[in-house]
Amino acid sequence: MKKVLNGNEAVARGFYEAGGLVSASYPGSPTVEIIQTLIDEYDEIYAEFSINEKVAVEVGIGASIAGARTLVAMKHVGVNVAMDPLMTFTQTPINGGFVLISGDDPGMSSSQNEQDNRILAKFAHMCVFDPGDAMEAKVMTKEALSISETFGLPVMVRMTSRVCHSRSIVELEDRVDRVVSGFSKKIEDYGMIPPHTFKKQYEMKNRIAKLQDFIESSPINRLEDDYRSDVLIVTSGLMYQNLKELNLKLDVLKLGVVYPLPIEQIRALKKRYARVIVIEEMMPFIEDELKIHGIACEGKEFFSFTGELMSEAILKGLEGAGAVEANDAEVIEATETVNRFSMFCAGCPHRPVFDILKKNKVSVIGDIGCYSLAVLEPFELVNTIISMGASIGMMKGMSKAYQMAERQEPLVAVIGDGTFYHSGMTGMLNLLHQLDPDYNLTLLILNNGTTAMTGGQQTASSGYYTDKSDMKVDMETLIRSMGFERFKRVDQFEYKAAKKVIDEELKYEGLSIVMTTRACALQYKIVKPHYVVDPDICIGCRSCLKTNCPPILMKAYEGHDKLKSSIAKEMCVGCSVCAQVCPVGAIKSSSAGEV
Amino acid sequence: MKSYNIILAGVGGQGLVLTTKILAEVALKAGYSVKTNDVIGLSQRGGKVWGSVKMDSEVFSPNIAVGQADFVIGFEPLEAYRHCYFLRKKGTIIVNTHKIPPIPVMFEQVAYPEDIYEKLDAEYELVKIEAVEEAMKLGNVKVANTFLLGALASRMMIDKSIWIEAISENVPRKTVEANLKAFDAYFEKQ
Ligand code: SF4
Ligand code: SF4
């Protein structure tokens, strides 16, 4: 049977067909749908969104050591968080096949950086597969599990955003059931301290060497030499598809596995071709590998080191390299028009909070989540974004630096609940350590009960918002039990009351923690009647506009010369924030009369 | 079989992913090879988003080069205009006329461009549909995109029964009837 699947759904399908049993992840673009699909569609598989990527890998290691086929998925930066257990796990032998899906993001469509995780995989002695579409993603996930077991090492399937979110036709096969063999209890294999670890260094090297021998003649790397050109293109994954699109008369070695490489095969090929040109996105990984092994090749000098390499860029690069003839077809320019950036949703509970902060003219140490949008117009309020859970630790470092320099400057940090549990908690504990009781620090915890940016996965405190959750951590009890005393809860839709509390806490000399309590508007829909503006009362002051709610717009009303506010009724969810900030009471619920 | 390149453009949250999926299912059922790009990233929160669908006997890259699209489906006028340069000469652009003002317009820094349709009409076949208003008449804003699909389908050589099947299988069960009505509205008009 054939089905159209996107790359993420195809990975999930491959894991299912391969008899996979245990999977774990932390939600992050572009790989979030892998676990979501396993949860929604495949009851045979245990799938969880763990507290963070490190924990997800730990869950996976346990399952694999017990003998189950295991999949762990995360976005590229998530692998950094998981690197510690991973680096040692790659020393131990593999029992149940272990595959790590890394979702790289060339062009950073939804990430804070653009790292090339093929390099991390090599660093950790992992084999790397590079699929180019959904069908390959399914096939390679299965192949990766079997290589993992045959050669005894963890395998990375390195996806990119484009492959994760591109659909193509996938041939479905049946699931094979596999026995869980159980833990072998060999201390020398799993007890990773010296003297056991000495041997492991050699074992890791040998595993990769054996795998490389196998790769030399594996059909997973495919030579297409129909054209007998004098240039050989070496490429993989989506770059192969983008190249094929151009229909050029060039011979191609299409790699399915990009680490380890079939070095001897390529060395032999180099004798047949005058030039070897490598086409790859981001870092010159394949190119460097070839050069390390003394195989002369070209590559990055013709192609961008950053962003996605689309067909047009590949053609330009190859023209620049003189590998194909240049043609100067007319260039079509992009259409220039008004730009459009992302913004907070209608009824988003973050908006009143940032409106209050903006009125206080404070700078804010930010974190990662929907509230990162406050970096952009019109708030432009959050001043730093580094990584998940970092804001609390950073606030401590900043305050210490200021204290050492004998400067006083109130500091404000924000963090979401997902991020707090992910890795903010440890920063929180660290905050207690050598805390100056008089330094003005304010931590705002935006507890909206979800990881909203990735589609609303649950967090440890989601229990308050839905009964589907199996966790109900009480944030306040947790934080108080750590030893923090000044903790306030606010309902930010009670705008004036919330503003009063936040204003006070911002002034408080010492550490204060404020937790907001409204749930994500997208995930837990507010269904209230929409609000309407009375143009006769409105004085056009634009206070409501500044809350940045999508339905609010200034418009010309008949019989009024000044622009007055208006609310698009099909977008408004009726949260009432605009009505509360209006100084003259021009905004009212439609349930109060006129619709 | 006639090949088709289709670009979808709109604002995050308008349902481009589902529409892309329906188009891919139509292609599969019609015996095409198909690849699509789905909407990705941050832009899902009200930013500009686009997707693409390529159907042919064999498809490699999911990307459509500029000047190579047969159709642009604009879920919002400004976004239709922004992506029109993907169209080949005399290509067709189907536009939902319901405006969603971007931040610079909300904050009165720039005006929402008024000459979009003139510009589009000069170079392409332009099909304007008041999809949101028509959808509200059917009692369900969510079927707005299906009006656009109807207009697209009437211009493609794929059997109507295939479209009906793909739509019925992919929209929420409660909305099948309203969606099929919406589909018919512009399929019939052709
Ligand atoms: S009530 Fe006002 S602030 Fe709330 S969603 Fe409607 S327009 Fe936006
Ligand atoms: S806050 Fe009130 S008075 Fe000011 S523009 Fe908005 S509706 Fe008009």
Side-chain angles (χ1 to χ4, degrees), chain B residues 14-15 19 73-75 94-98 129-136 138-151 178-179 182-183 186:
Chain B
Q14 281 192 303
T19 312
I73 309 183
F75 292 60
I94 301 168
V95 186
N96 175 355
T97 57
H98 189 79
I129 301 178
E130 291 190 346
V132 171
E133 291 72 15
E134 296 210 28
M136 296 229 251
L138 281 184
N140 192 339
V141 185
K142 291 213 172 107
V143 306
N145 298 344
T146 314
F147 287 98
L148 311 178
L149 275 185
N179 270 292
F183 179 80
Y186 280 83

Side-chain angles (χ1 to χ4, degrees), chain A residues 6-61:
Chain A
N6 70 26
N8 285 334
E9 293 164 340
V11 167
R13 178 71 199 187
F15 186 59
Y16 163 81
E17 289 178 5
L21 273 186
V22 177
S23 62
S25 177
Y26 184 83
S29 247
T31 53
V32 67
E33 295 95 346
I34 296 174
I35 296 293
Q36 201 62 60
T37 307
L38 290 173
I39 291 173
D40 295 344
E41 290 177 28
Y42 301 109
D43 290 342
E44 298 85 344
I45 294 165
Y46 174 76
E48 73 167 42
F49 283 111
S50 315
I51 289 292
N52 66 24
E53 296 84 356
K54 175 173 179 282
V55 176
V57 163
E58 290 158 353
V59 169
I61 292 174

